């Protein structure tokens, strides 16, 4: 029976016919108007795109890092063009080939008649449709490839680590630099094969090469050969994927209860997955060859059988067999089977995070010295205990040193070291930055032309407070004067400076204000981008969505626009391959204010090293309340990190400098090859700058989190989990977040002198007693800089941890009574940093206590809590507390296990309790008088309060309870607070800024 056939129409053009005269055709004027609007819209879109590109180029040129912009740009363009063209060419070629291989005749059927309408419809537009499809897939592929510019630069510039992985014995650089690029190429190949296969199959179907319902063969020989080659290419890529997966096992992540986010091979990987991947590779190669063989055999039988075999093998060999090995070989004897691989993980993780040289020392946790005088003297030699908490006293700086509402200090101040009379002193420091929310009137001129910068450094001793509980300032007032000498005080770039300013033009800026009025200035630096060009002005008007930039008369000759003004923002922009530490800090260096920014090189391709999430690991109670302290991470998950770069940003000029800090880091060397000339050598760091460099907090937090598990070097102990620690929650608040590490000048037991250190504590997993104390030498000029020391407490005895110490502080009856007095009225008590200091085998805890009064909305230091060897005291000053805790004030130290040795005032001595009750009444009367503004009554209440406290002290002494604990005299006047430092109207009495005329610490 003959099959009816017809020749498939394939016309070069569409059907023609009489032209229909359009009705209601727009007039020429309307058409011209629409055309004009269309052209203007296109020009507007083009200029908007140009404005973004042009302003970026101008900014990078202004900071002298144009090479970063051009290198990144040309890399993206190159990747976009190459991979976009490859994808477009591959898809376009396969569509063209499928069309060329179309059958000249096809069976008559309903299916083909339906397709014929589509063929006729697209016939006039075939070339344009082909160009559109290939252009679309090319654009998508090119955009995806352009996003891989970091991967490309690391692959093409990669330098060796000179360390080999323990399984395949390949250099670590293969996993860090090469494997990511090979995986991208493989993914691109898969995408190309799939898109080409889909496009070719659709074309064959449209033109009759593939049939679904038509009689006869389902595919022509040409279509069979074409599609088989594409499927063979896909399967060949799958073979390559199986081969790369073998190496990928060394950096594969998996959850493992002993290690958390495990990276590397385990027993099942080495003994089941690895051979399975090799077998699957061989099967995939054979399967691919079978697909290619259809070019000659023109049958699907063998390729389909081979593909089925590959799928079945993947299920059985790649899935079922490893599961059986895990279930019946590993789980019954997990520790023995996994121990060799855990040992590799231990070694690699410690190397990757720089904790392999951690010094762990056994520490007994109790003192054996009976000479209390010697212990008291040793405290001063062991640590400079900082009672000014930089995370508490910012409001105090603000109240006492703000000077004008348009200045502000950061929420968290910083700790640094400055030398005075040859002695290094821990210093709390902050900059008086611009605060636009505080200017008298907000408008465009004020916000961007007149109020442009902050002014001056404010610094205070970290270890002292004055008799009013205020910081002892070493640099203060406006303009700032003090120990720091002469320096450029204007702050145009800072952590709070997050808007643009236009400076240097006809509009003068407010420099600062004093008793003689406002002082005006004009920016003399070379920072920013010139707005003298109309093109620049138009570009910034579009980029900032601010049309006034284009026509404002306040902009003229010499006008420059400053933006991207926060230190972290600037460093991240000029070095987009770095991860930025969350805490930039200011320092006066060589006569200028410099922001110092720590930056990290990271990788997630270090074989066998466990991964960690930077955002989670660096979170603590400070980042929970201040998002600006969060780490700026390019790669959130990492398993290798180095503090390779120290960066500075000039607060006046905005100049960014990058210094090589880790001279051995291969990741930094790779990026320095990719961006030559951007990072200066370590030798370029001046001595003055070196004096202010320190060990970064975020790196320390990452390392301490890893050391909760990886302080153990024995695989068996590691697997049991018996030595797992945890970072305790911050005991000074109820946030439930980790305690932040603290900078402190201190001496560890094996050190001969104090060094600037960063320290933290550990507690056993699930318990609150202390398990270890960790400190790292943070003095950049020290030979031991970066050395991590851990004092490991015995497991056979318990030593109080931070939470337990804080609990004892709060539960002591006398301390609780004093705290209650401090909280009288509307006052609030704030606990400062709980500092831990190793001392003579024991641990000394010290915590400043601040009171924020009702009338004075800033905290003042009122008390210091100290505990040592189970003995707790609560005194006005640190010296008094140390003298009392060691009994060097003449009191008997006793041998109390509960803290204070004095009897509870609430029940043990009614006379003391009566005096304290009178003190409470007097305090309440003073608060009431303060609210009414009755200064006479307020002064009388203060006198009564002093008398009551004196009587309580005398009664306590007579009762024999002066040793070691809180006495009535140690309870200050409860911060009744009067506004500011205004003198009291009462004759002969001048209340302190806390509103109390009583002495305080």
């Amino acid at each position: 029976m003959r099959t009816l056939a017809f020749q498939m129409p394939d016309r070069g053009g569409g059907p023609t016919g009489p032209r229909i005269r359009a009705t209601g055709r727009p007039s020429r004027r309307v058409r011209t108007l629409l055309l004009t609007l269309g052209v203007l819209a296109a020009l507007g879109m083009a200029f908007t795109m140009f404005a973004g590109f042009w302003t970026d180029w101008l900014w990078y040129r202004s900071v002298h890092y144009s090479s970063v912009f051009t290198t990144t740009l040309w890399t993206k363009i190159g990747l976009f063009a190459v991979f976009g063209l490859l994808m477009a060419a591959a898809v376009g070629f396969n569509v063209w080939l499928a069309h060329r291989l179309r059958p000249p005749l096809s069976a008559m059927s309903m299916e083909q008649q339906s397709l014929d309408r589509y063929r006729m419809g697209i016939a006039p537009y075939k070339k344009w449709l082909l160009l559109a499809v290939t252009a679309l897939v090319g654009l998508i592929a090119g955009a995806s490839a352009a996003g891989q510019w970091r991967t490309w630069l690391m692959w093409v510039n990669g330098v060796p680590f000179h360390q080999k992985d323990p399984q395949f014995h390949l250099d670590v650089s293969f996993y860090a630099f090469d494997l990511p690029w090979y995986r991208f190429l493989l993914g691109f190949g898969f995408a190309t094969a799939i898109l080409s296969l889909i496009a070719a199959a659709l074309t064959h179907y449209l033109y009759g090469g593939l049939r679904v319902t038509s009689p006869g063969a389902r595919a022509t020989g040409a279509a069979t050969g074409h599609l088989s080659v594409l499927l063979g290419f896909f399967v060949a890529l799958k073979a390559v994927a199986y081969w790369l997966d073998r190496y990928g096992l060394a950096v594969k992540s998996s959850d493992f209860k002993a290690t958390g986010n495990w990276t590397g091979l385990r027993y099942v990987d080495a003994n089941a997955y690895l051979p399975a991947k090799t077998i699957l590779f061989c099967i995939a190669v054979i399967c691919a060859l079978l697909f290619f063989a259809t070019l000659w055999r023109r049958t699907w039988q063998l390729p389909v059988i081979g593909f089925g075999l590959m799928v079945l093998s993947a299920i059985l060999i790649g899935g079922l067999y490893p599961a059986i090995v895990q279930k019946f070989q590993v789980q019954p004897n997990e520790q023995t089977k996994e121990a060799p691989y855990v040992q590799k993980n231990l070694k690699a993780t410690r190397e990757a995070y720089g904790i392999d040289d951690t010094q762990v020392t056994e520490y007994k946790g109790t003192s054996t010295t009976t000479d209390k005088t010697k212990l008291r003297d040793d405290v001063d030699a062991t640590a400079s205990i900082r009672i000014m908490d930089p995370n508490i006293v910012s409001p105090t700086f603000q109240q006492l040193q703000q000077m004008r509402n348009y200045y502000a200090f950061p929420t968290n101040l910083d700790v640094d070291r400055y030398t005075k009379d040859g002695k290094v002193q821990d210093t709390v420091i902050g900059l008086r930055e611009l605060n636009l929310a505080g200017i008298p009137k907000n408008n465009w001129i004020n916000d961007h032309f007149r109020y442009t910068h902050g002014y001056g450094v404010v610094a205070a001793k970290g270890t002292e407070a004055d008799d009013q509980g205020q910081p002892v300032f070493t640099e203060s007032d406006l303009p700032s004067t003090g120990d720091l000498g002469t320096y450029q005080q204007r702050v145009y770039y800072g952590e709070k400076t997050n808007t643009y300013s236009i400076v240097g033009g006809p509009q003068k800026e407010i420099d600062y204000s004093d008793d003689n009025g406002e002082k005006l200035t004009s920016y003399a630096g070379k920072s920013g981008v010139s707005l003298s060009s109309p093109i620049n002005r138009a570009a910034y008007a579009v980029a900032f969505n601010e049309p006034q930039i284009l026509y404002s008369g306040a902009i003229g000759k010499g006008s420059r626009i400053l933006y991207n003004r926060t230190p972290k923002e600037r460093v991240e922009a000029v070095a987009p391959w770095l991860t930025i530490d969350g805490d930039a800090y200011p320092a006066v260096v060589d006569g200028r204010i410099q922001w110092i920014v720590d930056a990290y090189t990271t990788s997630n391709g270090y074989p066998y090293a466990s991964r960690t999430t930077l955002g989670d690991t660096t979170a603590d109670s400070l980042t929970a309340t201040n998002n600006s302290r969060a780490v700026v991470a390019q790669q959130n998950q990492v398993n290798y990190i180095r503090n390779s770069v120290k960066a500075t940003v000039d607060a006046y000029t905005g100049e960014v400098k990058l210094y090589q800090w880790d001279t051995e880091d291969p990741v930094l060397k790779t990026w320095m090859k990719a961006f030559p000339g951007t990072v200066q050598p370590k030798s370029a760091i001046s001595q003055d700058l070196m004096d202010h460099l320190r060990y970064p907090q975020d790196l320390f937090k990452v390392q301490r989190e890893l050391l909760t598990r990886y302080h153990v070097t024995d695989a068996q102990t590691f697997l049991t989990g018996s030595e797992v620690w945890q970072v305790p929650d911050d005991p000074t608040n109820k946030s439930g977040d980790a305690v932040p590490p603290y900078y402190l000048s201190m001496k560890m037991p094996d050190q001969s002198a104090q060094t600037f250190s960063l320290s933290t504590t550990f507690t056993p997993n699930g318990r609150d007693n202390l398990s270890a104390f960790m400190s790292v030498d943070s003095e950049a000029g020290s030979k031991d800089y970066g050395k991590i020391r851990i004092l490991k407490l015995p497991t056979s005895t318990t030593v109080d941890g931070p939470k337990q110490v804080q609990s004892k502080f709060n539960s002591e009856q006398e301390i609780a009574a004093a705290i209650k007095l401090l909280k009288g009225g509307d006052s609030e008590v704030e606990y400062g940093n709980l500092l831990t200091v190793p001392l003579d085998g024991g641990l000394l805890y010290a915590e400043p206590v601040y009171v924020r009064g009702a009338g004075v909305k800033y905290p003042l230091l009122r008390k210091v809590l100290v505990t040592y060897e189970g003995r707790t005291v609560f005194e006005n000053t640190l010296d008094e507390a140390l003298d009392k805790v060691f009994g060097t004030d003449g009191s008997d130290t006793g041998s109390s296990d509960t803290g204070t040795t004095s009897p509870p005032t609430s029940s043990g001595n009614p006379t003391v309790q009566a005096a304290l009750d009178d003190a409470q009444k007097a305090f309440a009367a003073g608060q009431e008088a303060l609210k009414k503004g009755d200064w006479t009554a307020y002064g009388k209440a203060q006198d009564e309060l002093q008398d009551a406290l004196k009587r309580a002290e005398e009664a306590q002494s007579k009762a024999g309870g002066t040793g070691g604990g809180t006495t009535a005299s140690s309870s200050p006047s409860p911060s009744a607070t009067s506004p500011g430092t205004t003198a009291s109207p009462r004759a002969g009495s001048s209340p302190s800024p806390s509103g109390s005329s009583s002495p305080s610490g």
Side-chain angles (χ1 to χ4, degrees):
M1 180 176 177
R2 296 182 61 186
T3 302
L4 295 177
F6 69 99
Q7 185 164 356
M8 183 172 59
D10 189 17
R11 303 182 180 89
T16 60
R19 302 182 68 178
I20 300 175
R21 185 178 183 85
T23 59
R25 184 179 181 182
S27 65
R28 178 176 297 179
R29 179 179 300 175
V30 173
R31 293 200 306 273
T32 302
L33 177 61
L34 292 175
L35 179 62
T36 303
L37 291 175
V39 171
L40 290 175
L43 289 175
M45 292 178 62
F47 188 78
T48 300
M49 296 174 63
F50 167 78
F53 164 80
W54 185 243
T55 53
D56 284 347
W57 161 248
L58 291 174
W59 186 86
Y60 276 97
R61 192 175 64 175
S62 73
V63 295
H64 309 295
Y65 282 88
S66 55
S67 63
V68 175
F69 179 82
T70 54
T71 299
T72 305
L73 177 66
W74 285 116
T75 302
K76 290 179 178 179
I77 291 175
L79 292 172
F80 178 88
V82 170
F83 287 95
L85 287 173
L86 283 175
M87 179 65 79
V91 174
F93 171 76
N94 282 284
V95 171
W96 173 83
L97 184 60
H99 179 266
R100 185 178 179 84
L101 296 175
R102 69 192 184 280
L105 298 174
S106 59
M108 175 64 71
S109 67
M110 293 299 297
E111 179 185 23
Q112 294 302 318
Q113 289 180 13
S114 299
L115 291 174
D116 186 46
R117 291 196 295 270
Y118 292 106
R119 289 193 287 264
M120 293 179 63
I122 66 173
Y125 314 107
K126 285 189 299 186
K127 292 182 179 179
W128 293 108
L129 185 61
L130 178 62
L131 288 174
V133 170
T134 55
L136 179 62
V137 296
L139 287 172
I140 295 173
S144 175
Q148 297 293 322
W149 64 272
R150 289 185 179 87
T151 307
W152 161 260
L153 287 176
M154 293 180 77
W155 177 69
V156 78
N157 296 288
V159 301
F161 277 66
H162 300 296
Q163 289 177 289
K164 297 183 184 297
D165 79 282
Q167 181 67 41
F168 301 102
H169 307 292
L170 296 173
D171 192 271
V172 172
S173 61
F174 171 79
Y175 302 94
F177 305 141
D178 299 343
L179 190 58
W181 178 250
Y182 297 153
R183 280 177 164 167
F184 163 71
L185 291 179
L186 187 63
F188 179 81
F190 275 123
T192 304
I194 292 171
L195 289 175
S196 297
L197 185 63
I198 292 172
L202 288 175
T203 306
H204 280 298
Y205 176 71
L206 182 64
Y207 287 98
L210 292 177
R211 307 177 186 119
V212 177
T213 61
S214 299
R218 297 300 182 192
T220 63
T224 299
H226 184 198
L227 296 180
S228 293
V229 170
L230 290 176
L231 285 170
F233 179 65
F234 177 86
V235 176
L237 288 174
K238 188 61 180 174
V240 176
Y242 281 133
W243 189 256
L244 285 181
D245 284 347
R246 298 169 69 256
Y247 303 109
L249 291 173
V251 289
K252 182 196 72 171
S253 288
S254 60
D255 289 329
F256 189 43
K257 61 183 180 181
T259 63
N261 194 341
W262 168 287
T263 303
L265 285 82
R266 294 160 59 184
Y267 180 88
V268 70
D269 296 313
N271 295 277
Y273 280 112
L274 187 57
K277 297 292 183 183
T278 305
I279 295 172
L280 289 172
F281 163 76
C282 297
I283 294 174
V285 170
I286 296 171
C287 186
L289 293 174
L290 291 176
F291 273 108
F292 292 140
T294 57
L295 285 173
W296 296 276
R297 292 181 58 86
R298 303 289 181 175
T299 176
W300 291 94
Q301 186 176 5
L302 286 178
V304 169
I305 292 174
F307 189 78
L309 176 62
M310 187 180 74
V311 173
L312 183 62
S313 300
I315 295 172
L316 296 179
I317 302 175
L320 185 60
Y321 174 62
I324 293 173
V325 171
Q326 178 68 26
K327 178 70 174 177
F328 295 101
Q329 291 190 36
V330 178
Q331 288 185 7
N333 193 16
E334 187 174 41
Q335 285 196 219
T336 302
K337 296 291 187 183
E338 298 289 15
Y341 303 96
V342 169
Q343 198 65 52
K344 296 175 184 178
N345 176 264
L346 282 169
K347 182 177 183 296
T349 302
R350 288 167 64 87
E351 289 173 349
Y353 290 94
I355 57 177
D356 49 324
D357 291 329
T358 299
Q359 175 183 303
V360 180
T361 306
E362 298 293 331
Y363 193 72
K364 55 188 175 182
T366 56
S367 173
T368 57
T369 301
T370 57
D371 187 348
K372 303 301 181 183
T373 302
K374 181 180 183 302
L375 279 177
R376 174 63 183 91
D377 294 338
D378 285 347
V379 174
D380 294 331
T382 301
S384 299
I385 298 176
R386 178 171 42 75
I387 57 176
M388 282 289 113
D389 187 345
N391 307 308
I392 296 289
V393 299
S394 179
T396 308
F397 273 51
Q398 186 83 359
Q399 183 67 28
L400 302 179
Q401 289 296 320
Q402 179 187 22
M403 303 304 182
R404 295 292 182 270
N405 287 338
Y406 48 82
Y407 294 134
F409 292 92
T411 304
N412 304 103
L413 303 177
D414 290 288
V415 177
D416 202 350
R417 299 130 295 154
Y418 287 88
T419 302
K420 176 68 173 177
D421 298 329
K423 183 180 179 181
V424 178
Q425 177 176 271
D426 287 1
T427 302
V428 177
I429 186 172
L431 299 190
R432 197 182 283 114
E433 295 189 47
L434 178 66
N435 174 31
L436 288 178
I439 67 176
K441 183 178 181 181
N442 288 101
N443 55 54
W444 190 63
I445 293 296
N446 278 347
D447 291 354
H448 300 289
F449 291 82
R450 287 182 59 79
Y451 295 92
T452 59
H453 59 279
Y455 208 98
V457 172
V458 176
K461 294 181 179 180
T463 56
E464 294 183 30
D466 67 12
D467 57 1
Q468 306 298 329
Q470 299 176 0
V472 177
F473 291 107
T474 58
E475 186 79 8
S476 58
D477 300 333
L478 185 66
S480 295
T481 58
D483 296 345
L484 301 184
T486 303
Y487 58 96
Q488 173 57 263
Q489 298 199 20
R490 297 175 181 88
V491 182
Y492 281 87
Y493 295 87
E495 290 181 302
K496 300 178 73 68
T497 315
N498 49 22
T499 188
Y500 71 90
S501 290
I502 299 176
V503 299
Q507 179 66 58
K508 292 292 185 180
E509 311 160 43
I510 294 177
D511 203 18
Y512 64 90
S513 301
D514 59 17
D515 294 338
N516 298 320
E518 293 179 346
K519 307 294 183 182
L520 302 181
T521 189
S522 187
Y523 184 66
K526 300 300 181 183
S527 180
V529 178
S530 172
L531 293 179
S532 57
S533 165
I535 295 178
N536 290 1
R537 292 178 67 170
Y540 279 103
V542 171
F544 288 175
N545 195 26
E546 182 49 73
Q548 293 186 81
I549 294 177
L550 185 60
Y551 56 78
S552 174
I555 302 175
K557 183 179 180 180
S559 291
R560 308 180 71 84
I561 185 167
L562 313 180
Y563 63 104
N564 288 353
R565 297 168 71 182
T566 67
K568 291 191 290 186
E569 190 176 33
R570 293 178 79 78
V571 174
E572 185 187 23
V574 303
W577 34 273
L578 290 174
T579 298
I580 312 302
D581 189 89
D583 184 27
Y585 60 98
V588 177
V589 178
D590 298 322
R592 308 191 71 86
I593 300 173
Q594 297 282 356
W595 288 99
I596 300 175
V597 183
D598 285 288
Y600 311 109
T601 50
T602 60
S603 173
N604 63 358
Y606 198 99
Y608 272 98
S610 291
R611 289 190 172 94
T612 186
T613 304
L614 288 181
D616 296 337
T617 309
T618 59
D620 58 25
S621 62
L622 298 183
T623 59
T625 57
N626 186 1
N627 288 333
S628 65
R629 293 180 67 93
V631 64
V632 181
Q634 295 295 339
Q635 292 176 306
N636 200 33
Q637 268 222 333
V638 304
N639 68 353
Y640 172 91
I641 186 169
R642 290 290 186 272
N643 176 214
S644 296
V645 173
K646 300 286 189 180
T648 61
V649 177
D650 192 292
Y652 183 73
T653 66
E655 181 183 18
V656 182
K657 290 183 179 179
L658 307 176
Y659 297 100
Q660 182 183 16
W661 184 248
D662 189 332
T663 57
E664 302 300 322
D665 178 30
V667 180
L668 177 61
K669 290 179 180 179
T670 296
W671 287 118
M672 289 174 69
K673 280 182 64 179
F675 296 96
T678 56
V679 180
Q680 299 183 36
K682 188 174 184 178
S683 58
I685 299 176
S686 69
Q687 184 57 51
D688 198 5
L689 175 58
M690 184 71 75
D691 291 341
H692 295 282
L693 299 181
R694 67 189 192 188
Y695 201 81
Q697 289 190 63
D698 284 334
L699 176 60
F700 184 78
K701 287 189 280 187
V702 170
Q703 290 174 326
R704 76 171 178 178
E705 178 63 31
L706 267 296
L707 283 168
T708 59
R709 304 185 305 277
Y710 286 92
H711 64 279
V712 173
T713 57
D714 174 66
Q716 294 292 343
T717 306
F718 188 83
L719 282 166
T720 63
S722 60
E723 291 290 329
V724 174
W725 300 336
Q726 66 182 12
V727 178
D729 294 339
D730 192 342
T732 64
N733 57 61
K734 298 180 181 179
S735 67
D737 297 297
V739 61
Y742 295 113
Y743 287 106
L744 189 70
S745 289
M746 60 175 293
K747 180 179 69 173
M748 291 289 279
D750 65 328
Q751 292 179 298
S752 59
Q754 291 185 21
T755 59
F756 194 61
S757 303
L758 189 57
S759 61
T760 191
T761 53
F762 295 110
T763 58
N765 193 26
R767 304 209 311 274
D768 293 327
N769 56 288
L770 197 67
S771 58
F773 175 83
M774 171 181 170
S775 176
V776 64
D777 191 326
S778 301
E779 196 80 44
S782 168
K783 64 180 178 63
D784 284 340
Y785 171 82
K787 182 174 182 178
I788 299 174
R789 295 175 172 88
I790 292 180
L791 303 180
K792 185 172 179 288
L793 279 298
T795 57
S796 57
T797 59
T798 58
V799 178
D800 287 346
K803 187 174 181 180
Q804 292 171 323
V805 169
Q806 187 70 46
S807 178
K808 287 188 175 181
F809 283 162
N810 298 335
S811 62
E812 289 289 345
Q813 292 187 10
E814 295 178 14
I815 295 177
I819 293 292
K820 183 179 179 181
L821 282 176
L822 292 174
K823 288 182 177 179
D826 294 326
S827 298
E828 298 177 8
V829 170
E830 296 182 31
Y831 294 99
N833 37 220
L834 178 58
L835 301 175
T836 309
V837 177
L839 179 67
D840 189 52
L843 290 157
L844 175 74
Y845 287 95
E847 181 178 68
V849 178
Y850 299 83
V851 175
R852 192 188 294 255
V856 180
K857 299 299 183 183
Y858 60 93
L860 296 171
L861 181 66
R862 286 307 186 200
K863 285 288 187 179
V864 179
L865 283 160
V866 172
T867 186
Y868 185 72
E869 296 286 288
R871 180 180 176 79
T872 302
V873 300
F874 188 47
E875 299 298 323
N876 290 341
T877 68
L878 177 63
D879 284 339
E880 290 177 9
L882 291 173
D883 289 344
K884 184 151 289 187
V885 82
F886 292 112
T888 56
D889 61 343
S891 61
D892 180 13
T893 58
S895 57
S896 171
D897 293 327
T898 60
T900 60
T901 59
S902 53
T905 59
S906 58
S907 60
N909 192 328
T911 306
V912 174
Q913 184 60 53
L916 289 176
D917 289 342
D918 292 342
Q920 182 64 53
K921 293 176 182 177
F923 174 72
Q927 289 290 297
E928 186 65 28
L930 186 61
K931 291 178 181 178
K932 295 178 179 180
D934 188 344
W935 294 102
T936 302
Y938 175 76
K940 181 180 178 182
Q942 291 297 294
D943 291 339
E944 291 174 353
L945 177 61
Q946 289 293 333
D947 180 66
L949 292 174
K950 186 176 181 181
R951 285 189 284 109
E953 179 182 10
E954 292 172 350
Q956 181 86 336
S957 298
K958 290 178 181 178
T962 59
T966 302
T967 65
S969 64
S970 70
S971 300
S973 59
S975 187
T977 69
S978 62
T981 56
T982 308
S984 168
R986 183 169 65 89
S989 175
S990 298
S992 72
S994 66
S996 169
S997 58
S998 64
S1000 58

